[in-house]
Amino acid sequence: MERQLMTGNEAMAEAALRAGCRAYFGYPITPQNELLEYMARRMPQVGGAFVQAESEVAAINMCYGAAAAGVRVMTSSSSPGVSLKMEGISYMAGADLPVVVVNVARGGPGLGNIAPAQGDYFQATKGGGHGDYRMIVLAPSTVNEAAALTQLAFDLADKYRVPAMVLADGMLGQMMEPVELPPFVDVGSLPPKPWALSGAQGREPNYVASFALDPYDLRELNRRRLARYQQIEAHEVRWEEVQTEDAEVLLVAYGTMGRIAKTVVRLARAEGTRAGLLRPITLWPFPYGPIRRLAQRIPVVLTVELSMGQMVEDVRLAVEGRAQTPFYGEMGGVVPTPRDILQEVKAHALQRGKHEAGVRPA
Amino acid sequence: MRSSVENMKPVFVRPKSLSDKKFTYCPGCHHGLITRILAQVIDELGIQERTVMVAPVGCAVFAYEWFRCDGVQAAHGRAAAVATGIKRVRPDLVVISYQGDGDLAAIGLAETIHAANRGEKISVIFVNNQIYGMTGGQMAPTTLVGQHATSCPEGRNPQEAGYPIRMAELLATLEAPVYVARLALFDPKHVLETTKAVRKALTYQVQGKGYSFVEILANCPTGWRMSPVQANKHIAAVVTKAFPLGEFVDKG
């Protein structure tokens, strides 16, 4: 392992190259520009393809072509640009093509601003493009984890032949932290892709498409995809727990909010409130099971997000009424301090305490 | 005189680069002819085993399966970007995008122009039949002034809908393309000229020279509500006036 000080954007780019990514297509947008610029500089050094595309739409479709040709390929953007990529992501899901899409998310909707936000959760996890499909979504909370999850995204995308997204935000993209960089993967040692377009030499032609006019044919293709999605749900759920063993209030937060929530847990405990944290690392597949198990003994499950409340819907689906499920959110690119959230945690703990003591809440 | 089979030689055969999948084109449509020409040239150049066809959305949506070559189906308008992605990672492959006028000149105009301007080493076959065929005959960016279509029932009115876009001339203003030409198919002479142009376009790609673009004035008997013969006469007499034939760029 090699230790370097890098921004999140640079770390994700370098991690991609080390994972064997040999094609990158992108379009400038803040706050992910450093990723594109890093690729412009480094991709030729490893003998890969780099194109600054005419749009995010073109970039994702260049990815479609390169993925169809069997190469590990990545694009990156930020929220408005990722909206434009959604058509291409749907086509790649439909054509069973692996691709890694990085979203260094910013405030929205619309042009919004360039500050960190988590308003793209629905788009990422609930099918931002059209049709019946799923996309693996990985949510790092540190620069180091952003690098590690970028590598994982390539492996999972290839393994299951699905698009995979690394959902970061402007904070993670711009901040510098020490990163443990893994060694370079030998591209030749990656599992072969016999379905790829490589020229029909000594074999029948390969066709890559998301097209099946006959509804029974498309149903069959979708059933096979569903079976793969179920495999992903069974094997690839990832999350981190912090001091959940004796918690009376469970925080659920991901990404940048997840790291802030860790500080909240520490502060709360210093002041006598037993807080814990569950941080989803995969947003799809979502850690419904782990949250459900904790909700059986923790009476308050507080979801904290940089949005008006998106992941909280999945948390409530997981909890299914077993515990209270309040929500605390900040919007528009405003990032709350640990103290802001601490007030919220203490208020819920206090209310709970009164409730247990037989005092009706006001 | 008796003839024996041994003394006969084939003068016309099915190109081996065509697959067995049946065409879905209407009777009399030029798409079938263009597909055949392309397959024949792929045979002649001996590049079947390293050709990748990029199919559009439109009447030619199945073009990825009509060739005995690897094929990929692109999102509407994005064929040039998909072709770019393939060619950049596999420069040894011959990458051909096959697109209609709605795909290439309306929704995919940005991808078309920028792929040409970057000089991507791909070949683009542009089938200009002045109408949206597959969706039932709506106005295309290439629909002639006054031409009737289901979405301009009174005929294309340039005051509201503008004028037909001349893609070959437009791309010929760029520095990078090595070959830009417009051909037609309304008689055998022009079929042969089109075949020659397609051969040139693919040859330039094989030689690594750069971006080639072949626009072909095609018919749409169904969408135009004409017989195939009437449609051919219409191309010769009317369409070629709005879209002059010729080689606009040839840097071979």
Side-chain angles (χ1 to χ4, degrees):
Chain A
M1 289 277 184
E2 202 181 319
R3 211 171 150 84
Q4 280 190 37
L5 190 65
M6 300 178 101
T7 67
N9 284 332
E10 292 167 337
M12 287 186 280
E14 182 62 32
L17 296 173
R18 288 168 183 245
C21 174
R22 288 297 177 272
Y24 174 91
F25 307 101
Y27 185 85
I29 183 170
T30 308
Q32 67 82 53
N33 294 313
E34 297 79 11
L35 207 168
L36 174 136
E37 289 162 358
Y38 192 92
M39 285 298 199
R41 192 168 66 246
R42 282 280 285 139
M43 189 59 90
Q45 294 171 358
V46 301
F50 170 90
V51 177
Q52 180 177 328
E54 58 271 28
S55 68
E56 287 91 348
V57 176
I60 191 75
N61 283 284
M62 290 173 190
C63 290
Y64 181 99
V71 170
R72 283 194 163 184
V73 57
M74 179 164 103
T75 185
S76 62
S77 190
S78 179
S79 308
V82 174
S83 292
L84 289 173
K85 291 186 192 294
M86 280 296 153
E87 176 199 45
I89 290 171
S90 167
Y91 273 72
M92 294 174 100
D96 302 318
L97 290 177
V99 62
V100 174
V101 179
V102 173
N103 182 359
V104 185
R106 58 188 248 181
L111 196 53
N113 60 29
I114 57 173
Q118 295 181 327
D120 296 355
Y121 180 90
F122 283 154
Q123 184 193 55
T125 62
K126 306 299 177 191
H130 60 281
D132 231 357
Y133 77 96
R134 287 293 193 178
M135 175 168 63
I136 292 172
V137 184
L138 306 172
S141 69
T142 65
V143 172
N144 192 53
E145 195 181 24
L149 292 184
T150 301
Q151 292 223 314
L152 178 66
F154 280 101
D155 291 339
L156 294 180
D158 270 3
K159 181 175 180 187
Y160 296 102
R161 287 185 65 181
V162 292
M165 174 177 280
V166 179
L167 182 57
D169 60 51
M171 181 94 81
L172 284 162
Q174 299 288 324
M175 73 194 300
M176 288 184 99
E177 280 186 313
V179 188
E180 301 269 359
L181 288 171
F184 272 88
V185 166
D186 172 17
V187 176
S189 72
L190 294 171
K193 296 175 177 174
W195 47 264
L197 307 175
S198 56
Q201 197 167 2
R203 61 160 168 78
E204 286 299 301
N206 283 339
Y207 300 129
V208 173
S210 62
F211 189 46
L213 261 187
D214 185 321
Y216 291 93
D217 289 347
L218 185 54
R219 181 178 69 175
E220 179 54 29
L221 291 172
N222 282 352
R223 278 178 173 168
R224 282 186 226 162
R225 261 191 284 283
L226 175 60
R228 291 209 311 279
Y229 295 156
Q230 287 166 340
Q231 287 293 310
I232 296 170
E233 288 175 320
H235 301 295
E236 306 298 348
V237 178
R238 286 165 169 81
W239 74 97
E240 180 191 12
E241 289 183 35
V242 180
Q243 293 191 277
T244 54
E245 302 77 17
D246 62 342
E248 54 185 326
V249 176
L250 178 70
L251 288 149
V252 182
Y254 73 94
T256 286
M257 209 61 232
R259 72 187 285 158
I260 296 172
K262 273 189 195 174
T263 307
V264 176
V265 168
R266 187 164 43 78
L267 294 176
R269 285 188 176 259
E271 296 186 17
T273 302
R274 295 192 313 277
L277 167 69
L278 186 143
R279 180 175 68 87
I281 296 171
T282 51
L283 300 183
W284 191 86
F286 189 75
Y288 292 107
I291 292 174
R292 184 170 301 138
R293 281 193 292 279
L294 292 174
Q296 280 164 353
R297 57 179 168 82
I298 304 175
V300 179
V301 179
L302 171 65
T303 304
V304 188
E305 295 179 69
L306 297 175
S307 76
M308 59 175 73
Q310 299 195 9
M311 180 180 70
V312 64
E313 295 191 2
D314 280 325
V315 173
R316 285 172 180 156
L317 277 175
V319 171
E320 282 182 321
R322 291 177 182 86
Q324 290 176 34
T325 51
F327 172 74
Y328 177 81
E330 265 298 2
M331 293 177 279
V334 176
V335 180
T337 65
R339 290 272 161 207
D340 296 333
I341 304 165
L342 181 63
Q343 295 311 312
E344 204 65 18
V345 172
K346 283 162 71 176
H348 286 292
L350 187 65
Q351 202 173 42
R352 186 70 207 167
K354 281 181 187 164
H355 183 70
E356 280 174 354
V359 182
R360 288 171 63 87
Chain B
M1 288 262 304
R2 286 177 59 203
S3 67
S4 73
V5 175
E6 291 82 62
N7 293 335
M8 293 165 74
K9 65 172 187 185
V11 292
F12 190 83
V13 293
R14 181 187 171 81
K16 70 178 171 67
S17 293
L18 275 184
S19 74
D20 297 327
K21 190 180 168 74
K22 280 187 183 145
F23 285 169
T24 48
Y25 295 129
C26 303
C29 171
H30 280 164
H31 265 298
L33 184 51
I34 298 167
T35 305
R36 196 203 177 282
I37 289 171
L38 203 42
Q40 182 189 321
V41 173
I42 291 169
D43 280 6
E44 284 172 14
L45 298 180
I47 53 173
Q48 179 200 349
E49 292 184 333
R50 57 187 183 110
T51 294
V52 174
M53 291 299 309
V54 183
V57 169
C59 291
V61 66
F62 281 115
Y64 66 100
E65 286 184 340
W66 282 324
F67 297 87
R68 210 173 284 285
C69 304
D70 280 1
V72 56
Q73 199 278 315
H76 195 28
R78 317 301 170 213
V82 172
T84 297
I86 299 167
K87 188 72 181 186
R88 288 290 183 123
V89 300
R90 289 295 306 267
D92 54 318
L93 297 176
V94 178
V95 183
I96 303 167
S97 91
Y98 185 113
Q99 301 176 255
D101 38 37
D103 192 84
L104 180 138
I107 194 167
L109 188 61
E111 285 80 0
T112 299
I113 289 179
H114 286 280
N117 192 49
R118 286 190 305 266
E120 297 295 340
K121 295 183 176 63
I122 60 172
S123 303
V124 177
I125 307 299
F126 171 39
V127 180
N128 174 0
N129 64 5
Q130 302 107 59
I131 205 157
Y132 282 73
M134 189 180 69
T135 47
Q138 296 82 15
M139 183 179 67
T142 45
T143 294
L144 304 183
V145 171
Q147 183 184 338
H148 294 255
T150 58
S151 54
C152 56
E154 305 302 320
R156 182 176 190 159
N157 173 4
Q159 299 308 314
E160 289 176 1
Y163 294 84
I165 295 184
R166 296 189 184 98
M167 285 308 302
E169 287 87 335
L170 201 154
L171 294 182
T173 65
L174 305 173
E175 294 291 331
V178 294
Y179 188 66
V180 179
R182 180 183 292 119
L183 289 302
L185 296 166
F186 53 79
D187 62 20
K189 174 174 168 273
H190 285 87
V191 171
L192 291 175
E193 283 178 358
T194 299
T195 308
K196 233 168 99 181
V198 169
R199 190 182 297 126
K200 208 182 252 191
L202 296 195
T203 302
Y204 288 172
Q205 182 181 168
V206 169
Q207 293 169 346
K209 285 187 173 150
Y211 176 92
S212 50
F213 180 88
V214 180
E215 174 173 346
I216 301 170
L217 298 181
N219 65 7
C220 180
T222 305
W224 296 355
R225 307 195 196 295
M226 291 182 193
S227 72
V229 173
Q230 284 173 328
N232 274 355
K233 286 179 179 162
H234 171 72
I235 293 175
V238 180
V239 180
T240 51
K241 300 284 188 296
F243 293 105
L245 304 181
E247 291 185 323
F248 299 90
V249 176
D250 186 353
K251 297 178 185 166

